């Protein structure tokens, strides 16, 4: 039996949207096309998928619900198959690296000329829910994570800790302190990059009544920090990067340590076990150069 994948996609869409009209709108086809497609799918399968007992209203019966759920799994497997083949062909000679948090990518970019392998960095942060899929589909050979992943398919190598430091106006009373806690920063306004991964939740949860002026790009952060007095964060992985150093031109910031139990994140390199021989030399080099 051969079933048209487009009909399966229509069935999955119907389960999600609940009506023929909403399904048609989502798929950008006509309602009669959806109706004909669902009838044809029933004919191809030889089963009834819909309850049509109410005039002008149909809904999935138990068989239809099962079929829609299984169709969704099948379509995802097809998508994963396609992604894996395309990624392999496109990236077979490249060492692509992604991350849940930006710091390890910036650090890797700064030292990559010292490495035997020249990685290609994917600067768009990886959603934690997509780590397994992106590694399995070969989109990245390596993803930096804030937790260890070990199972039959994946493993992680510990690299070191990342922690934040505060860059603050030298005239702010906190600038004279050797260290501050997150609580000491209560009510302040900070410049931050919009996409900082796990760190966003940490600073928002631990600094009471704070405001965060989110910027979409490093260039915007650099420009605004040069012409304002807003404090911002750097980490042990990013404090010596060129973009960060540019923000200190003119000597208008003082770096203050943040001594707080919540101010640390363990960083791991996570990869397919089948890529161990390729990935581990790069990770060991990073671990040896890791800023303390």
């Amino acid at each position: 039996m051969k079933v048209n994948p487009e009909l399966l996609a229509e069935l999955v869409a119907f389960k999600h949207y609940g009506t023929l009209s909403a399904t048609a709108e989502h798929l950008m086809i006509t309602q009669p096309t959806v109706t004909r497609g669902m009838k044809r799918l029933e004919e191809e399968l030889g089963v009834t998928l819909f309850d049509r007992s109410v005039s002008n209203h149909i809904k999935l019966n138990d068989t239809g619900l099962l079929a829609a759920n299984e169709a969704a799994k099948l379509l995802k497997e097809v998508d994963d198959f396609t992604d894996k083949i395309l990624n392999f062909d496109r990236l077979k000679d490249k060492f692509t690296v992604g991350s849940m948090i930006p710091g390890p990518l910036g650090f890797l970019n700064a030292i990559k000329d010292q490495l035997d392998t020249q990685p290609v960095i994917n600067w768009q942060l990886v959603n934690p829910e997509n780590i397994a899929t992106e590694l399995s589909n070969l989109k990245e050979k390596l993803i930096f994570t804030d937790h260890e992943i070990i199972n039959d398919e994946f493993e992680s190598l510990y690299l070191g800790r990342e922690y934040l430091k505060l860059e603050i106006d030298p005239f702010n009373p906190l600038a004279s302190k050797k260290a501050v806690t997150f609580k000491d920063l209560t009510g302040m306004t900070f410049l931050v990059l919009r996409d900082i991964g796990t760190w966003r939740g940490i600073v928002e949860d631990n600094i009471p009544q704070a405001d965060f002026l989110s910027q979409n790009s490093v260039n915007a952060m650099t420009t605004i920090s040069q012409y304002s007095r807003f404090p911002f964060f750097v980490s042990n992985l990013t404090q010596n990067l060129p973009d960060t150093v540019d923000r200190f031109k003119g000597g208008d910031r003082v770096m203050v340590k943040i001594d707080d139990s919540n101010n640390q994140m363990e960083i791991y390199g996570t990869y397919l076990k089948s890529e161990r021989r390729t990935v581990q030399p790069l990770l060991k080099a990073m671990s040896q150069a890791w800023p303390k």
Side-chain angles (χ1 to χ4, degrees), residues 222 225-226 241-250:
T222 299
S225 62
Q226 287 176 343
L241 302 183
D243 288 326
T244 305
V245 172
D246 283 346
R247 299 181 210 164
F248 294 100
K249 291 180 179 178

Side-chain angles (χ1 to χ4, degrees), residues 75-87 137:
L75 292 172
K76 185 180 185 303
E77 289 179 359
V78 171
D79 286 342
D80 288 346
F81 165 80
T82 303
D83 287 345
K84 190 168 187 176
I85 299 304
L86 293 177
N87 287 333
N137 290 351

Side-chain angles (χ1 to χ4, degrees), residues 2 82 88-89 91 118 129 155 160 180 205 263 282-283:
K2 185 176 181 180
T82 303
F88 176 82
D89 185 67
L91 302 171
Q118 290 302 298
E129 296 179 355
E155 64 185 15
V180 296
D205 291 344
N263 181 32
L282 180 145
L283 291 177

